[in-house]
Amino acid sequence: MHPLDKALELESAGDDLLRGRTLPEWANMVGPFGGITAATMLQAVELNPQRHGRPIALTVNYVAPIADGDFEIKTRAVKTNRSNQHWIVELSQAGEVKTTATAIFGLRRDGWSDTEIEQPQVCAPEDVEPSVPPFGVAWFDNFDMRFVDGGMPDAANDPVESASSTSTLWVRNNPPRPLDFVALTAVSDIFYPRIFLRRGQFVPAGTVSISVYFHADDEQLAAQGDDFLLGTARAHRYSGGYFDQSARLFGRDGTLLATSHQFVYFKA
């Protein structure tokens, strides 16, 4: 079983209640990688027989660190309209809520379309060396990341601050896996905190909330197969111990597949 699918395994534990378990290969510095948690929250709705349509938007709020071990996810369909459906999702351990989410699913219809954002012009992923993370965090091994610019600072060197917070990289699952909505959710959170790049060093930081917006439909995801995606991320403002950063994910053919926005706590 692919590492992503193994992490997303959920079993029924009652009406609208699912049970899962954290895996060490998806561990982050504190608890599991936020992207796998977000993907698991989406997976819980995907598995619900009441689910109507496909993912449109997902917002995940990281309330408290998730401990290693079992967890439960409860899903509730709040409202189903003709074109969209609204969900509330909660992940808990030992009766304590650790993560909350809202998800919107919807039916896509043919009509006028346009994309104002253009894919950055970069070299092919085959021309970029795979990136080696500068510190041992397990979840990095589940992705093949190839930074075109804005790579992680080297902890072995003296800090070198950057005037820009932008990173651009090719990325895909390791080992390769066909793209779907849960995989797209996970990869939307692979962008390390922008404060690392600006300060040229690692500082305490963690995502408080992330929203992922899905622009792709099933056919566009299928067209990507297990190929690389091109991602780019940047921050907007650092203030009061928090900052926000946004990201965009394109297929190799230039199709905009997803955008995300997250708010991050930091201490520096």
Side-chain angles (χ1 to χ4, degrees):
M1 184 180 292
H2 192 278
L4 178 63
D5 297 304
K6 187 177 179 182
L8 296 176
E9 277 194 304
L10 297 170
E11 61 181 22
S12 177
D15 292 341
D16 299 327
L17 188 65
L18 297 166
R19 183 173 291 113
R21 184 175 180 81
T22 64
L23 297 178
E25 52 264 46
W26 286 96
N28 202 353
M29 290 177 285
V30 178
F33 164 52
I36 200 65
T37 300
T40 304
M41 303 292 267
L42 186 73
Q43 174 82 333
V45 180
E46 290 265 34
L47 293 174
N48 195 300
Q50 298 181 55
R51 188 259 296 166
H52 177 67
R54 303 299 279 156
I56 300 296
L58 174 72
T59 295
V60 178
N61 301 310
Y62 301 99
V63 179
I66 298 173
D68 294 339
D70 294 341
F71 57 80
E72 291 185 340
I73 297 180
K74 186 165 185 64
T75 59
R76 179 166 66 93
V78 178
K79 179 70 173 179
T80 301
N81 302 312
R82 292 176 61 184
S83 59
N84 55 59
Q85 184 180 53
H86 300 256
W87 290 83
I88 292 177
V89 190
E90 287 187 350
L91 183 152
S92 62
Q93 290 181 309
E96 181 185 356
V97 174
K98 298 296 185 73
T99 308
T100 65
T102 57
I104 302 175
F105 280 59
L107 301 176
R108 296 184 182 273
R109 296 180 173 85
D110 292 333
W112 183 86
S113 63
D114 187 35
T115 303
E116 295 189 11
I117 301 297
E118 295 184 359
Q119 182 189 50
Q121 298 301 307
V122 299
C123 54
E126 291 79 9
D127 298 327
V128 184
E129 288 293 322
S131 301
V132 178
F135 55 88
V137 176
W139 70 264
F140 277 104
D141 294 334
N142 296 298
F143 296 99
D144 181 351
M145 291 185 275
R146 307 186 180 200
F147 282 88
V148 177
D149 60 45
M152 283 194 179
D154 189 344
N157 297 329
D158 291 334
V160 178
E161 295 194 0
S162 171
S164 171
S165 67
T166 300
S167 290
T168 302
L169 74 157
W170 291 102
V171 59
R172 67 176 174 182
N173 284 108
N174 179 37
R177 176 191 182 278
L179 189 66
D180 57 15
F181 285 105
V182 288
L184 188 57
T185 300
V187 80
S188 294
D189 194 36
I190 54 96
F191 304 94
Y192 66 87
R194 304 291 86 201
I195 189 70
F196 294 178
L197 183 57
R198 285 297 309 273
R199 298 302 302 271
Q201 61 182 317
F202 301 106
V203 300
T207 300
V208 176
S209 178
I210 182 172
S211 294
V212 182
Y213 303 101
F214 304 96
H215 304 290
D217 56 26
D218 288 306
E219 291 183 1
Q220 292 169 333
L221 291 183
Q224 304 305 315
D226 61 3
D227 200 3
F228 282 93
L229 306 181
L230 182 66
T232 183
R234 62 156 298 172
H236 298 95
R237 187 186 182 197
Y238 311 83
S239 176
Y242 295 91
F243 68 91
D244 65 324
Q245 64 184 52
S246 59
R248 301 162 183 160
L249 288 165
F250 301 85
R252 193 194 287 251
D253 61 359
T255 301
L256 181 63
L257 303 173
T259 53
S260 69
H261 202 91
Q262 61 181 280
F263 212 56
V264 184
Y265 159 85
F266 75 97
K267 184 182 290 186

